[in-house]
Amino acid sequence: MLVLEWKKPTCIIICGSWIFRMATSVFHQPLGTAQPHQHLQNSGFRQEFGHASVKLTFKGFKVETGLSRRGGYSSCKRKFGVIQASASHTSVVQPVSYPPNNSTDELRKKSSEAALILVRHGESLWNEKNLFTGCVDVPLTKKGVEEAIEAGKRISNIPVDMIYTSALIRAQMTAMLAMTQHRRKKVPIILHNESEQAREWSQIFSEDTKKQSIPVVTAWQLNERMYGELQGLNKQETADRFGKEKVHEWRRSYDIPPPNGESLEMCAERAVAYFKDHIEPQLLSGKNVMIAAHGNSLRSIIMYLDKLTSQEVINLELSTGIPMLYILKGGKFIRRGSPAGPTEAGVYAYTRSLALYRQKLDDMLH
């Protein structure tokens, strides 16, 4: 038997699954990241998540929870799911609970249908100059801007509830420009969780405005792979200097990094881990997600989604500014290719829910 003590919010703890959910009429649910701190005591266990804490006393299974007056964005590691608790008016993100690994398959079976859109950023200024870019933060060219807008037209009728981008401006520009073409005209808003002040200063105090917003989460784990000492070098000149075969090996092998850089394998480790820990739970909860990122981080995610081998993924090419659509249905990701255009009705015949969503948009906008 569990005895719950919580002054304002309610807390539900399911033993075995370890799903924590917090809700209250006076608290909203921001989503962020905070490292948990564990304290083992003779009489039990206490877990702290930012400003919130949960104490389990083994004798009688007494549960004590606490939350500071100011509140905050807090999220425990994957095995505990996502914890939301705050007294602020900041977030437009809805809570998601994620079970430990041994319950993932069960959640997949029960998951709602959802759309996943992947789009590689439009052409950057260094793409245009044929330079190795990697993690150097370079903006889009005029052509890249046009590619991002065209990508937005292709997905303009597909529902988008959350957006994830890398920490690099070319991916963020692509996401923002693409959403200017969406028929719902919701405003993408980058969440700033880097400090308490950043969170406080970016608060939204209108519920109506929140409903017309799409949260944008930026993550360095989705960055392009780091090209080390090749960054900023001309690709042709580098081939002339080191030899075409060596440069091809650096660029197209799976596990051989350039000097002081990352291999595709190393890039995949961080990108796929982030996808599984943060993005996949949103999809499993039924939310439609767009990811705007880079050739190698997206290839890594596609490798996971399509169960590609290391040999298959190195031959995978992604064009700039061309979105790819996946449907999560019955716990499985189904690749649908790229939406052909904003008037292509066939895209929305893939699932009943997407077809109904488009019909709802048509009814609202006409």
Short mmCIF file of all heavy atoms in Angstrom, two decimals, residues 83-116:
data_model
loop_
_atom_site.label_atom_id
_atom_site.label_comp_id
_atom_site.label_asym_id
_atom_site.label_seq_id
_atom_site.Cartn_x
_atom_site.Cartn_y
_atom_site.Cartn_z
N ILE A 83 9.25 14.00 -15.65
CA ILE A 83 8.54 14.58 -14.51
C ILE A 83 8.27 16.04 -14.84
O ILE A 83 9.16 16.77 -15.23
CB ILE A 83 9.38 14.51 -13.23
CG1 ILE A 83 9.84 13.07 -13.00
CG2 ILE A 83 8.62 15.03 -12.04
CD1 ILE A 83 8.74 12.10 -12.77
N GLN A 84 7.03 16.48 -14.66
CA GLN A 84 6.70 17.88 -14.87
C GLN A 84 6.19 18.48 -13.57
O GLN A 84 5.30 17.92 -12.95
CB GLN A 84 5.61 18.03 -15.94
CG GLN A 84 6.07 17.74 -17.35
CD GLN A 84 6.12 16.26 -17.61
OE1 GLN A 84 5.42 15.50 -16.95
NE2 GLN A 84 6.93 15.86 -18.55
N ALA A 85 6.77 19.61 -13.19
CA ALA A 85 6.26 20.30 -12.01
C ALA A 85 6.76 21.73 -12.02
O ALA A 85 7.95 21.97 -12.02
CB ALA A 85 6.73 19.62 -10.74
N SER A 86 5.87 22.69 -12.06
CA SER A 86 6.30 24.09 -12.05
C SER A 86 5.14 24.99 -11.69
O SER A 86 4.00 24.70 -12.01
CB SER A 86 6.83 24.48 -13.43
OG SER A 86 7.10 25.86 -13.46
N ALA A 87 5.46 26.09 -11.06
CA ALA A 87 4.43 27.08 -10.75
C ALA A 87 4.44 28.20 -11.78
O ALA A 87 3.72 29.16 -11.65
CB ALA A 87 4.67 27.66 -9.36
N SER A 88 5.30 28.11 -12.79
CA SER A 88 5.39 29.17 -13.79
C SER A 88 4.31 29.00 -14.85
O SER A 88 3.60 28.01 -14.89
CB SER A 88 6.76 29.16 -14.45
OG SER A 88 6.86 28.05 -15.32
N HIS A 89 4.26 29.95 -15.79
CA HIS A 89 3.32 29.91 -16.90
C HIS A 89 4.08 29.73 -18.20
O HIS A 89 3.69 30.23 -19.23
CB HIS A 89 2.52 31.22 -16.96
CG HIS A 89 1.68 31.44 -15.74
ND1 HIS A 89 0.35 31.11 -15.69
CD2 HIS A 89 2.01 31.94 -14.52
CE1 HIS A 89 -0.14 31.44 -14.50
NE2 HIS A 89 0.84 31.94 -13.78
N THR A 90 5.18 28.99 -18.14
CA THR A 90 6.13 29.05 -19.23
C THR A 90 5.84 28.13 -20.40
O THR A 90 5.89 28.54 -21.53
CB THR A 90 7.54 28.69 -18.70
OG1 THR A 90 7.79 29.45 -17.53
CG2 THR A 90 8.59 28.98 -19.73
N SER A 91 5.54 26.87 -20.16
CA SER A 91 5.73 25.88 -21.21
C SER A 91 4.51 25.65 -22.06
O SER A 91 3.38 25.76 -21.62
CB SER A 91 6.15 24.56 -20.59
OG SER A 91 6.29 23.58 -21.57
N VAL A 92 4.78 25.29 -23.33
CA VAL A 92 3.72 24.84 -24.23
C VAL A 92 3.86 23.35 -24.48
O VAL A 92 3.22 22.81 -25.35
CB VAL A 92 3.78 25.61 -25.57
CG1 VAL A 92 3.42 27.05 -25.34
CG2 VAL A 92 5.15 25.49 -26.22
N VAL A 93 4.70 22.67 -23.72
CA VAL A 93 4.91 21.24 -23.86
C VAL A 93 4.01 20.48 -22.91
O VAL A 93 3.88 20.83 -21.75
CB VAL A 93 6.38 20.87 -23.57
CG1 VAL A 93 6.59 19.37 -23.75
CG2 VAL A 93 7.30 21.65 -24.47
N GLN A 94 3.38 19.42 -23.40
CA GLN A 94 2.53 18.59 -22.57
C GLN A 94 3.35 17.45 -21.97
O GLN A 94 4.33 17.01 -22.56
CB GLN A 94 1.38 18.01 -23.41
CG GLN A 94 0.46 19.10 -23.95
CD GLN A 94 -0.17 19.91 -22.85
OE1 GLN A 94 -0.63 19.37 -21.86
NE2 GLN A 94 -0.20 21.22 -23.00
N PRO A 95 2.96 16.94 -20.81
CA PRO A 95 3.76 15.91 -20.15
C PRO A 95 3.70 14.57 -20.86
O PRO A 95 2.70 14.22 -21.47
CB PRO A 95 3.13 15.81 -18.76
CG PRO A 95 1.72 16.25 -18.97
CD PRO A 95 1.78 17.31 -20.03
N VAL A 96 4.79 13.82 -20.77
CA VAL A 96 4.86 12.48 -21.32
C VAL A 96 5.53 11.60 -20.30
O VAL A 96 6.57 11.95 -19.76
CB VAL A 96 5.68 12.45 -22.64
CG1 VAL A 96 5.87 11.01 -23.09
CG2 VAL A 96 4.99 13.26 -23.71
N SER A 97 4.95 10.45 -20.00
CA SER A 97 5.58 9.49 -19.11
C SER A 97 6.17 8.38 -19.94
O SER A 97 5.57 7.91 -20.89
CB SER A 97 4.54 8.91 -18.14
OG SER A 97 4.05 9.92 -17.30
N TYR A 98 7.39 7.94 -19.56
CA TYR A 98 8.08 6.93 -20.32
C TYR A 98 8.57 5.85 -19.38
O TYR A 98 9.28 6.14 -18.43
CB TYR A 98 9.26 7.56 -21.06
CG TYR A 98 9.83 6.69 -22.16
CD1 TYR A 98 8.98 6.07 -23.07
CD2 TYR A 98 11.20 6.51 -22.27
CE1 TYR A 98 9.49 5.29 -24.09
CE2 TYR A 98 11.72 5.72 -23.30
CZ TYR A 98 10.86 5.12 -24.20
OH TYR A 98 11.38 4.35 -25.20
N PRO A 99 8.21 4.60 -19.60
CA PRO A 99 8.57 3.54 -18.68
C PRO A 99 9.99 3.07 -18.91
O PRO A 99 10.63 3.48 -19.87
CB PRO A 99 7.58 2.42 -19.06
CG PRO A 99 7.36 2.64 -20.52
CD PRO A 99 7.40 4.13 -20.71
N PRO A 100 10.51 2.21 -18.05
CA PRO A 100 11.84 1.66 -18.25
C PRO A 100 11.87 0.76 -19.47
O PRO A 100 10.85 0.46 -20.08
CB PRO A 100 12.10 0.88 -16.96
CG PRO A 100 10.75 0.56 -16.44
CD PRO A 100 9.88 1.72 -16.82
N ASN A 101 13.08 0.31 -19.83
CA ASN A 101 13.27 -0.46 -21.05
C ASN A 101 12.38 -1.70 -21.12
O ASN A 101 11.86 -2.04 -22.18
CB ASN A 101 14.74 -0.88 -21.17
CG ASN A 101 15.63 0.30 -21.47
OD1 ASN A 101 15.18 1.27 -22.05
ND2 ASN A 101 16.90 0.22 -21.08
N ASN A 102 12.20 -2.39 -20.01
CA ASN A 102 11.45 -3.63 -20.06
C ASN A 102 9.96 -3.42 -20.29
O ASN A 102 9.22 -4.37 -20.47
CB ASN A 102 11.68 -4.46 -18.80
CG ASN A 102 11.30 -3.70 -17.54
OD1 ASN A 102 10.76 -2.59 -17.62
ND2 ASN A 102 11.58 -4.29 -16.39
N SER A 103 9.50 -2.16 -20.26
CA SER A 103 8.08 -1.89 -20.53
C SER A 103 7.89 -1.17 -21.86
O SER A 103 6.77 -0.85 -22.23
CB SER A 103 7.49 -1.01 -19.41
OG SER A 103 7.58 -1.68 -18.18
N THR A 104 8.97 -0.92 -22.60
CA THR A 104 8.88 -0.17 -23.84
C THR A 104 8.03 -0.90 -24.87
O THR A 104 7.21 -0.29 -25.57
CB THR A 104 10.28 0.08 -24.41
OG1 THR A 104 11.07 0.76 -23.44
CG2 THR A 104 10.19 0.93 -25.67
N ASP A 105 8.21 -2.20 -25.01
CA ASP A 105 7.45 -2.96 -25.99
C ASP A 105 5.95 -2.88 -25.73
O ASP A 105 5.15 -2.75 -26.65
CB ASP A 105 7.89 -4.42 -25.98
CG ASP A 105 9.31 -4.59 -26.52
OD1 ASP A 105 9.76 -3.68 -27.24
OD2 ASP A 105 9.94 -5.62 -26.23
N GLU A 106 5.57 -2.94 -24.45
CA GLU A 106 4.16 -2.84 -24.10
C GLU A 106 3.61 -1.47 -24.47
O GLU A 106 2.49 -1.35 -24.97
CB GLU A 106 3.97 -3.10 -22.61
CG GLU A 106 2.51 -3.07 -22.17
CD GLU A 106 2.35 -3.37 -20.69
OE1 GLU A 106 3.36 -3.79 -20.06
OE2 GLU A 106 1.25 -3.17 -20.18
N LEU A 107 4.41 -0.41 -24.21
CA LEU A 107 3.97 0.93 -24.57
C LEU A 107 3.83 1.08 -26.07
O LEU A 107 2.91 1.73 -26.56
CB LEU A 107 4.96 1.96 -24.03
CG LEU A 107 4.65 3.43 -24.32
CD1 LEU A 107 3.30 3.81 -23.73
CD2 LEU A 107 5.73 4.33 -23.77
N ARG A 108 4.74 0.48 -26.83
CA ARG A 108 4.67 0.55 -28.28
C ARG A 108 3.35 -0.04 -28.79
O ARG A 108 2.72 0.50 -29.70
CB ARG A 108 5.84 -0.23 -28.90
CG ARG A 108 7.16 0.52 -28.88
CD ARG A 108 8.24 -0.33 -29.50
NE ARG A 108 9.49 0.39 -29.59
CZ ARG A 108 9.81 1.21 -30.57
NH1 ARG A 108 8.94 1.44 -31.52
NH2 ARG A 108 10.96 1.83 -30.59
N LYS A 109 2.94 -1.17 -28.21
CA LYS A 109 1.71 -1.81 -28.65
C LYS A 109 0.50 -0.92 -28.40
O LYS A 109 -0.48 -0.96 -29.13
CB LYS A 109 1.55 -3.15 -27.94
CG LYS A 109 2.61 -4.17 -28.34
CD LYS A 109 2.45 -5.45 -27.56
CE LYS A 109 3.54 -6.46 -27.92
NZ LYS A 109 3.42 -7.71 -27.12
N LYS A 110 0.56 -0.13 -27.32
CA LYS A 110 -0.57 0.71 -26.94
C LYS A 110 -0.47 2.12 -27.52
O LYS A 110 -1.35 2.94 -27.32
CB LYS A 110 -0.66 0.80 -25.42
CG LYS A 110 -0.93 -0.54 -24.74
CD LYS A 110 -0.99 -0.37 -23.24
CE LYS A 110 -1.26 -1.68 -22.53
NZ LYS A 110 -1.31 -1.52 -21.06
N SER A 111 0.63 2.42 -28.22
CA SER A 111 0.88 3.79 -28.65
C SER A 111 -0.13 4.25 -29.70
O SER A 111 -0.66 3.45 -30.47
CB SER A 111 2.29 3.92 -29.22
OG SER A 111 2.43 3.12 -30.38
N SER A 112 -0.37 5.56 -29.71
CA SER A 112 -1.25 6.14 -30.70
C SER A 112 -0.49 6.31 -32.01
O SER A 112 0.73 6.23 -32.07
CB SER A 112 -1.73 7.51 -30.21
OG SER A 112 -2.39 7.40 -28.98
N GLU A 113 -1.24 6.53 -33.06
CA GLU A 113 -0.64 6.78 -34.36
C GLU A 113 -0.04 8.17 -34.40
O GLU A 113 -0.61 9.12 -33.89
CB GLU A 113 -1.74 6.63 -35.41
CG GLU A 113 -1.26 6.49 -36.83
CD GLU A 113 -2.42 6.18 -37.74
OE1 GLU A 113 -2.87 5.01 -37.77
OE2 GLU A 113 -2.90 7.11 -38.39
N ALA A 114 1.13 8.30 -35.00
CA ALA A 114 1.79 9.61 -35.03
C ALA A 114 2.64 9.74 -36.29
O ALA A 114 3.08 8.74 -36.87
CB ALA A 114 2.66 9.79 -33.79
N ALA A 115 2.86 10.99 -36.70
CA ALA A 115 3.69 11.28 -37.87
C ALA A 115 5.06 11.79 -37.41
O ALA A 115 5.16 12.57 -36.46
CB ALA A 115 3.02 12.32 -38.75
N LEU A 116 6.09 11.35 -38.10
CA LEU A 116 7.46 11.82 -37.88
C LEU A 116 8.00 12.36 -39.19
O LEU A 116 8.04 11.65 -40.19
CB LEU A 116 8.35 10.68 -37.37
CG LEU A 116 9.86 10.97 -37.30
CD1 LEU A 116 10.16 12.09 -36.31
CD2 LEU A 116 10.65 9.71 -36.97
#
